[in-house]
Amino acid sequence: MTVGIQGLCPDRFARVRETFEANFADGGELGARFAFAIEGEIVVDLMGGFADRKREVPFGPDTLTALFSTTKAVAALMVARLVDEGRLAYDQPVADVWPEFAQAGKEAVTVEQALSHQAGLSGFPNETDPAIWFDWDATCAKLAAMAPLFPIGSASGYHPVTYGYLAGEIFRRVDGRTMGTALREDICQPLGLDLWIGLPDSEHGRVADLMRPTAMPQFGEINAAVEAAFFKPWSSPGGKGAAEWRRVEIPSANGHATAPALARLMGALANGGTLDGRSLITPAGIKAATAERLRGRDLVLPYEISWGAGFMRNEPNFYYGPTPEAFGHSGWGGSCAFADTTRGVSGAYVMNKQGNALIGDPRAVRLIEAAYASL
């Protein structure tokens, strides 16, 4: 037995427990949690290690972790619900609901292009105050005025932070609420999901400390889109403290959750859109959200990626198990969440010791493979 592994793991899933323990045994974890659901019901929920860098606070059932880009799967679902309700269409121009967005040649950019990282807005190329990310309206105004960094629709060029403002402002223009507010009111409170975009001060004490990666990710060729996305001093939020970062809503980057909450939410997508008898989205809505928008070598992430409307499709990388139709999203440092409509299963992995894989962290891949092998 390794460092305080606890939780739910029936004998059938012994291989998952062995894999989870091995991730700790080789020094790959500080604290972590993995949840796996069948038809939306959690069947595996393992946690262990520590929530703090001093190794004094156990990583427990109430520990929240920062999701980074795994948050994008939640944002994609929130937009998908608007489309499913007939309040928005993937093929309509963003400028239909956000008129200011039509500047600088972006009048024809569609909702699905914005969600599948084809809008050429991977980051701000010119000097910007990194505190701008804490000002929603200022960030959206700057994006609306910005000229694309590559030809719209020519390829995907991953939008690590800007995606959240694009998806979130599209959502706000249609719904009237911020995405984090709607998530809380419409989904998380009714279903009891410990998942947040914009974390209230009352919950900050539960958040696990992060251990940053010890090595930089490998980006391959550095182009203008990569530089704006990751390598400028203003590429990510700065100038304010951790509390302010947790508090603000950034639907691309700063979700906080437990693994079971994520696995259950994705469980709705794996099982026709229903969770605990409550319909979140129709099967047709899931199919529309996860249909391939484009596939190819991404201009920012050094991978071939098949994009749905905000979801990473499992082919061709198979980071989310063996099923081609599975989909989800991964986050900086290693977190991920996925759904598999073919098998009716879903899962999530969260941790606080960050690896340097941009997507497809080996710790998560091993756990997901072990879970599938146990079915």
Side-chain angles (χ1 to χ4, degrees), residues 31-100:
R33 192 170 186 180
F34 176 70
F36 189 70
I38 300 175
E39 296 182 355
E41 180 182 349
I42 300 294
V43 294
V44 175
D45 178 16
L46 287 168
M47 70 202 83
F50 299 95
D52 66 324
R53 287 186 291 268
K54 293 181 178 179
R55 300 177 183 264
E56 295 172 351
V57 180
F59 196 106
D62 295 326
T63 301
L64 290 172
T65 55
L67 304 176
F68 294 97
S69 287
T70 299
T71 314
K72 291 181 173 72
V74 182
L77 169 60
M78 296 302 290
V79 176
R81 296 179 80 232
L82 295 181
V83 175
D84 197 39
E85 293 163 3
R87 302 164 69 190
L88 183 70
Y90 285 125
D91 61 358
Q92 79 179 101
V94 173
D96 278 3
V97 299
W98 180 2
E100 300 90 332

Side-chain angles (χ1 to χ4, degrees), residues 26 28 45 51 61 78 104 172 195 219 243 254 282 297 372:
D26 64 11
D45 178 16
M78 296 302 290
R172 189 180 71 85
L195 166 62
F219 283 94
N254 81 332
T282 68
R297 178 79 172 188
Y372 271 95

Side-chain angles (χ1 to χ4, degrees), residues 81-132:
R81 296 179 80 232
L82 295 181
V83 175
D84 197 39
E85 293 163 3
R87 302 164 69 190
L88 183 70
Y90 285 125
D91 61 358
Q92 79 179 101
V94 173
D96 278 3
V97 299
W98 180 2
E100 300 90 332
F101 191 78
Q103 298 175 69
K106 302 194 302 300
E107 62 278 353
V109 175
T110 62
V111 172
E112 63 190 354
Q113 285 175 326
L115 294 176
S116 55
H117 305 270
Q118 298 184 65
L121 306 175
S122 58
F124 298 132
N126 300 320
E127 187 168 355
T128 303
D129 182 349
I132 192 174

Side-chain angles (χ1 to χ4, degrees), residues 3 22 33 39 49 52 57 61 77 188 201 231 236 265 312 363:
V3 284
R33 192 170 186 180
E39 296 182 355
D52 66 324
V57 180
L77 169 60
C188 295
D201 288 8
F231 287 100
S236 58
L265 181 67
M312 285 185 175
R363 296 167 296 180

Side-chain angles (χ1 to χ4, degrees), residues 320-373:
Y320 310 126
T323 309
E325 294 79 13
F327 56 89
H329 214 290
S330 300
W332 178 54
S335 68
C336 72
F338 73 94
D340 178 348
T341 57
T342 302
R343 304 291 293 270
V345 301
S346 59
Y349 166 75
V350 300
M351 77 302 126
N352 61 345
K353 182 176 181 179
Q354 296 185 297
N356 71 336
L358 288 164
I359 54 176
D361 187 285
R363 296 167 296 180
V365 170
R366 289 191 293 264
L367 287 164
I368 295 168
E369 288 175 347
Y372 271 95

